[in-house]
Amino acid sequence: TAHTFGVEYDKSPFRFVAEMEDYDSNITPFEALRLTGDYRKRFSFGGTLRLRSRWSNVRRKDRTRRETRFFTLETLYRQQLSPTLAIEAGALYRNESDSLSGNDEGIDLDLGLEWKVRQTEVKVTYEYGRFQDDFSENKNSTLFIQFRREF
């Protein structure tokens, strides 16, 4: 059984959400508090910006009494360069603090170019990520090339 209570306030360009969840289970019972804040902006020159921050605190109600806190901060900017060409850039920062496994921290950066003509779309995206915990540090980079045709 899960009971979730929350409140949402949306007054453009801002949006705030607060939520509390009580999850009753024989296997993994927990209580969670989640807070989210958004900012959205459209510019007259064709760009859009989104900023989002999230914080969560999850307390397990089993024998471990484990507590986990998550914090994320993300931004996304999209610029329409022409009617058929757009560029997009994003960043995501993530921090996790866990009473059992310690602290984890990471960042993801994305840069993409999108070309769309009629039913054909080509998207090229480069992603870079770095994640660090108490035991190791991981770095990765990926290049995606997507072709899509709608019929």
Side-chain angles (χ1 to χ4, degrees), residues 44-106:
S44 60
F45 48 85
T48 56
L49 173 69
R50 187 187 79 207
L51 301 170
R52 176 177 287 164
S53 180
R54 293 181 182 166
W55 179 83
S56 300
N57 187 13
V58 180
R59 291 185 182 150
R60 310 294 191 291
K61 296 190 295 185
D62 56 8
R63 292 185 313 236
T64 64
R65 297 291 179 200
R66 182 178 186 179
E67 184 173 351
T68 307
R69 291 189 180 123
F70 299 98
F71 174 73
T72 60
L73 183 60
E74 62 183 298
T75 182
L76 180 67
Y77 181 78
R78 181 177 175 86
Q79 178 66 49
Q80 199 70 37
L81 301 174
S82 75
T84 60
L85 188 63
I87 190 168
E88 191 172 86
L92 170 67
Y93 169 77
R94 178 177 177 255
N95 184 291
E96 177 183 336
S97 174
D98 190 290
S99 60
L100 186 61
S101 64
N103 295 326
D104 302 335
E105 186 175 49

